Amino acid sequence: MARPTSPRPLHLGVDLSDAGAHPAAWRTHGSQAQRLFDAERLQQLVDTAQRGTLDLVVIDDSFSLQPTRTTTLRGRLDAALVAARLAPRSRGIGLVPTVATTHTEPFHVSKAIATIDHVSGGRAGWQLGWSADDDDARDTAHFGRRPAVSEAAAVAEAEEAVRAVAALWDSWEDDAEIRDEATHRFVDRSKLHYVEHDGVHFAVKGPSITPRPPQGRPPVVVRVRSDESFGLAARHADVVRISATTRDEALDLRLRLRAAAVAAGREPGDLRVLADAFAVTGPDEASARARLDLLTELDGVRWDTDSLTHVGTARKLTDTFLDWWEIGAVDGFVVRPSSLHTDLDALVDGVVPMLRTARAFREHYAGPTLRDQLGLARPANRFAAIA
Amino acid sequence: MSTPAPRKQIHLGAHFPGVNNTTVWSDPRSGSQIDFASFEHLARRAEAARFDFFFLAEGLRLREHKGQLHDLDVVGRPDTLPVLAALAAVTDRLGLAGTINTTFNEPWELARQFATLDILSGGRAAWNLVTSSDAFTGANFRRGGFLPYEQRYERAAELVQVVRALWDSWDDDAVVAHARTGQFVRPGSIREVRHDGAHFQVRGEFTTPRGPQGHPVLFQAGDSADGRDFATATADVVFSAHSTFEAGQAFFADVKGRLAAHRRTPDQLLILPATTVVLGATAQEAAERSHHIRLQQVPGPTAIAFLEQVWGRDLTDHDPEGPLPRIDPDVENLDITRGRVRHVKDPRTIAAAWREQADANGWSIRQLVIEVTSRGGFVGTPTQVADAIDRHVQEDASDGFILVPHLTPTGLDDVFDQVVPLLQERGSFRTEYTGPTLRHHLGLARPAPRATRSHADRALVG
Ligand SMILES: Cc1cc2nc3c(=O)[nH]c(=O)nc-3n(C[C@H](O)[C@H](O)[C@H](O)COP(=O)(O)O)c2cc1C
């Protein structure tokens, strides 16, 4: 039964971190845990996500190993470089690594994300990361640069970093490169700008060494996990990841985020609010339950999630997605497959076709860039003279 | 009769064109220095020619001249490591070498980035370590220009020490991924790293497995006495500027001679100068092409800007096709150009010498600049160039070269097509890759894991 076409398409991302969102996912049959750090395994996952015309993949990162209390899995690759590695052999799909600002210089963050945008033809996003003492005390010790900071302080620093990074992206106007043979000038220097960022945490002169990315400014993704990160998201995020266990909770968060964005002088329509959705799927409910039981048995403890968690068929997951989306509780979801190898296939081959039938989800990519998929306009350059 | 000694094998790197006036952007064939297609073209062609590696330079601040951004040369480039990670997706064997500064980066981050690149590329990562530490560049970073010049190699040495400790903190076989037992890593195979030094305090369990090469290959490109000492103590490859035969032999002997003091052998440190190649069907045609390229590289305004660096004053009222300025340099204003290596000699001495040279030869400003900025390079027929490259290597003026094209991205295509086959015919250059990693291409041993090494150390003293 086809529903009326909505002017507001549903957005779907998938989290490609580790072997899946469940701590024991790596131990399940077919997880390819031996190849966890193999670029071709990740490339195959992106191929699958791209087959489902998903908006984006996100890749977590941290300067710390996975905490022993949550999983036996160990080891991470630098997420930005993984995203770059996945770029040349993918099309349409957004590549969103986590890059933390607590230690990494805004100048480095800005050119890394800009470069992923260049090598992918406009498909980079940036999931803003930070490390505060309450969740990742060890991060700061690794650097020895200074003691661990509170969530409020880490978010305040992240906010300053996102401002500096966005200014650096704009520090080259789109038409700065002129290659003018008559005057022998390669660039028009009036279109390159010092950002002169002089804040509490950073001083950055600019301009960037890297020309403005194809998307102008790659979308910034912020996860809301605290009051502080809520404010940061409302002021700076293009995509907000929320945790919500009920539709009403999501609706309330989305409305509050949009109101806070308006209060910050933004268009509420410029925000895409995506709820995290943990998924354990199976051909019928009993087999999905059995999969979760196996995972629980392997892990030894009940799976502890903080957002919508679906255990059941692709049909039921589709219904839940449509239910939340139709009343405007969310703009979409970031699916966190319990086991990547099983639940990503179920999403792409099960949920996506049903969402398409319901006219809620695209048949083809809307254009080459991540902004195209998200329906976000390319931003004007803050430094460009108003014509 | 003894059998002839096997030929020394030549090592070759393909340098992506840089942001200086070696790169000619005014030529109709000049492509984008930003589009990934340009990087992919050079990397794929280099791999098809069985080159050892692809090479990227880095500069962390746009150059300035007379207080303004320098606009005459190519400006702007993407970030080194993401480009190399992307190239890993479109190449299989080619080494991927990137220049990264040690002053404005931190060891924890660099260690995980290079380990990641090594893993994502199946053991092809190399790091060209540079130490530029000026406050001009530092203005882009929160630390600002905090590092005194004398400390640049001190910090670099400590940084490399920390980075290597982090790479060695995972055993090669740490990941076992035993689904049945739930053991993902072997117990004790990841060790906490503790470092408490003058520049860094680091403590923790490292995040990233040891890469296929153990340690990515380490290049070093500084040329001062400190830089040479650092290279002989620490590096696998020296990226040098001494490309002529005599200077090359002198540099080669000097650097290789310092190795014994570090208990290293000459084959553990390769010397690869940067150089250029211009080909022609005849020697004369090559010389004409070379002259044409030099004219493209030094248009009038570039010649004037170059002179202004020495004169320390505005010379735009001078005709580049006319004689050198009679006015003397302003010695108070030597910072006129920032973001590139400075002259160390007294500018008045340089100016006098140049005037004399120009007068004696009847050179204009532009002709003089072309002459004094010429770095040699190989100019000739493919056979002449192949002979010369081979001779440099067989007679210990170098272990090979890093070739710098003047055109993006096709500038080395004729070298790949016309010179490489001749080197292969002589038996001096590989016709196939014989191993998967860059260390293998360069004939460098894989560093032993820490456990084995400390055991060996004990055996040595015991
Ligand atoms: C052939 C060559 C290439 C270099 N390439 C770079 C580069 O790409 N980026 C950079 O910041 N410095 C570069 N440098 C500068 C040096 O690496 C070094 O950091 C600087 O010269 C200071 O060290 P020194 O005093 O030992 O020369 C290069 C130097 C040489 C000789």
Side-chain angles (χ1 to χ4, degrees), chain A residues 139-383:
Chain A
D139 257 25
T140 36
H142 297 152
F143 256 69
R145 188 183 253 160
R146 55 172 179 192
V149 295
S150 68
E151 168 82 359
V155 171
E157 186 175 3
E159 178 147 6
E160 198 187 318
V162 83
R163 293 199 345 257
V165 167
L168 285 163
W169 286 336
D170 278 352
S171 65
W172 287 61
E173 292 186 39
D174 294 318
D175 52 358
E177 185 180 313
I178 50 172
R179 297 190 180 227
D180 182 37
E181 288 187 45
T183 59
H184 299 286
R185 288 178 310 146
F186 183 80
V187 286
D188 176 351
R189 64 162 79 103
S190 72
K191 296 188 171 178
L192 296 176
H193 302 276
Y194 295 103
V195 302
E196 305 284 7
H197 177 94
D198 192 4
V200 179
H201 304 90
F202 316 108
V204 184
K205 178 81 179 172
S208 177
I209 57 164
T210 306
R212 197 167 191 244
Q215 294 183 97
R217 298 195 293 270
V220 171
V221 180
V222 175
R223 297 177 75 172
V224 171
R225 294 183 292 195
S226 59
D227 291 345
E228 289 88 355
S229 51
F230 177 95
L232 171 65
R235 288 187 291 276
H236 294 285
D238 301 293
V239 175
V240 187
R241 279 178 73 183
I242 60 166
S243 299
T245 45
T246 67
R247 191 182 71 173
D248 290 349
E249 194 189 334
L251 178 62
D252 174 59
L253 249 175
R254 179 165 179 268
L255 294 177
R256 286 196 293 120
L257 273 163
R258 288 166 69 95
V262 171
R266 302 181 64 195
E267 280 292 324
D270 289 348
L271 254 66
R272 300 288 173 267
V273 179
L274 311 183
D276 273 17
F278 293 88
V280 191
T281 31
D284 52 60
E285 185 142 350
S287 63
R289 287 263 151 234
R291 280 191 56 222
L292 180 58
D293 289 345
L294 173 70
L295 286 163
T296 306
E297 195 183 317
L298 287 170
D299 198 40
V301 288
R302 224 180 82 92
W303 195 23
D304 186 20
T305 60
D306 59 359
S307 194
L308 168 65
T309 305
H310 171 82
V311 185
T313 61
R315 171 79 264 165
K316 276 264 176 61
L317 182 57
T318 309
D319 290 343
T320 304
F321 281 175
L322 290 171
D323 181 44
W324 286 41
W325 170 71
E326 277 170 350
I327 67 141
V330 292
D331 298 295
F333 300 88
V334 172
V335 177
R336 305 189 61 188
S338 68
S339 293
L340 271 172
H341 58 284
T342 311
D343 295 305
L344 179 57
D345 283 344
L347 176 69
V348 165
D349 299 325
V351 175
V352 164
M354 288 188 265
L355 288 174
R356 284 175 178 158
T357 307
R359 311 248 178 135
F361 196 62
R362 68 178 69 86
E363 301 269 349
H364 307 284
Y365 280 118
T369 74
L370 175 55
R371 282 188 175 272
D372 290 335
Q373 315 328 334
L374 293 170
L376 296 172
R378 189 172 189 276
N381 191 321
R382 75 199 59 198
F383 295 109

Side-chain angles (χ1 to χ4, degrees), chain A residues 27 61 104 115 186 194 206, chain B residues 64 71 79 109 112 140 179:
Chain A
R27 294 180 64 184
D61 201 358
T104 302
T115 299
F186 183 80
Y194 295 103
Chain B
E64 290 184 5
D71 58 2
D79 194 12
E109 234 165 341
R112 65 201 307 278
N140 281 332

Side-chain angles (χ1 to χ4, degrees), chain B residues 44-58:
Chain B
R44 282 188 188 272
R45 292 298 314 263
E47 184 166 79
R50 307 293 181 252
F51 265 44
D52 293 72
F53 58 88
F54 172 95
F55 186 95
L56 286 178
E58 180 200 59

Side-chain angles (χ1 to χ4, degrees), chain B residues 57-58 99 130-132 149 152-153 221-224 227 239-240:
Chain B
E58 180 200 59
T99 302
V130 295
T131 60
S132 325
Y149 180 74
R152 69 202 187 290
Y153 281 108
D223 196 33
S224 60
F239 179 25
S240 104

Side-chain angles (χ1 to χ4, degrees), chain B residues 123-436:
Chain B
R124 299 187 280 137
W127 170 16
N128 178 39
L129 179 157
V130 295
T131 60
S132 325
S133 57
D134 53 287
F136 175 72
T137 306
N140 281 332
F141 300 97
R142 72 178 113 190
R143 292 197 148 192
F146 76 103
L147 192 66
Y149 180 74
E150 320 79 69
Q151 286 182 21
R152 69 202 187 290
Y153 281 108
E154 197 184 293
R155 181 181 158 105
E158 191 178 324
L159 189 140
V160 169
Q161 188 194 344
V162 175
V163 164
R164 285 180 171 165
L166 293 170
W167 287 332
D168 288 344
S169 69
W170 283 60
D171 284 345
D172 284 321
D173 56 356
V175 175
V176 289
H178 280 156
R180 199 175 44 74
T181 61
Q183 205 177 77
F184 188 76
V185 288
R186 214 167 27 72
S189 61
I190 305 172
R191 290 165 296 272
E192 187 182 65
V193 172
R194 284 167 186 250
H195 172 91
D196 193 2
H199 293 274
F200 308 107
Q201 292 80 46
V202 170
R203 186 177 160 179
E205 282 181 323
F206 188 51
T207 52
T208 308
R210 202 166 191 256
Q213 297 187 104
H215 301 171
V217 175
L218 192 68
F219 287 44
Q220 195 276 340
D223 196 33
S224 60
D226 285 352
R228 291 183 188 199
D229 281 338
F230 178 84
T232 46
T234 312
D236 301 304
V237 176
V238 176
F239 179 25
S240 104
H242 306 280
S243 61
T244 62
F245 189 75
E246 291 74 22
Q249 277 192 329
F251 183 79
F252 190 99
D254 174 50
V255 171
K256 298 248 180 182
R258 295 174 191 231
L259 285 167
H262 300 279
R263 290 200 280 167
R264 302 181 71 198
T265 53
D267 56 344
Q268 288 177 324
L269 180 65
L270 303 181
I271 294 175
L272 303 179
T275 194
T276 55
V277 172
V278 179
L279 298 176
T282 62
Q284 182 177 347
E285 187 187 307
E288 281 164 10
R289 278 197 66 209
S290 174
H291 182 64
H292 174 69
I293 291 167
R294 293 297 292 140
L295 287 170
Q296 288 181 308
Q297 287 170 330
V298 188
T302 299
I304 295 293
F306 180 81
L307 224 56
E308 287 172 341
Q309 288 180 56
V310 172
W311 260 256
R313 49 172 100 241
D314 187 288
L315 299 173
T316 41
D317 57 345
H318 284 69
D319 178 4
E321 309 295 349
L324 268 68
R326 293 295 133 186
I327 182 172
D328 270 329
D330 175 358
V331 291
E332 304 299 314
N333 190 27
L334 297 181
D335 273 351
I336 190 166
T337 290
R338 305 205 289 177
R340 66 172 158 202
V341 184
R342 268 183 248 152
H343 299 275
V344 283
K345 284 194 207 135
D346 183 337
R348 285 168 299 201
T349 319
I350 302 174
W354 285 357
R355 264 193 217 117
E356 204 175 304
Q357 243 181 307
D359 288 347
N361 294 291
W363 288 337
S364 66
I365 290 176
R366 191 174 172 206
Q367 283 170 307
L368 174 102
V369 172
I370 286 173
E371 291 300 325
V372 300
T373 59
S374 285
R375 295 270 170 276
F378 298 107
V379 179
T381 64
T383 305
Q384 288 170 331
V385 169
D387 283 345
I389 288 178
D390 200 24
R391 172 167 171 254
H392 276 247
V393 173
Q394 301 310 327
E395 296 180 24
D396 287 347
S398 79
D399 291 303
F401 290 96
I402 297 182
L403 300 181
V404 186
H406 73 285
L407 282 181
T408 311
T410 55
L412 291 179
D413 286 358
D414 55 356
V415 178
F416 298 141
D417 293 338
Q418 299 170 41
V419 178
V420 168
L422 299 178
L423 296 173
Q424 290 169 329
E425 271 172 31
R426 284 164 173 71
S428 303
F429 190 65
R430 71 176 69 79
T431 52
E432 272 310 328
Y433 292 112
T434 53

Side-chain angles (χ1 to χ4, degrees), chain A residues 25-46:
Chain A
W26 72 267
R27 294 180 64 184
T28 57
H29 186 68
S31 77
Q32 307 195 74
Q34 303 274 359
R35 296 178 57 211
L36 198 76
F37 308 106
D38 181 335
E40 287 305 315
R41 181 189 74 92
L42 291 158
Q43 188 80 57
Q44 283 160 13
L45 292 169
V46 169

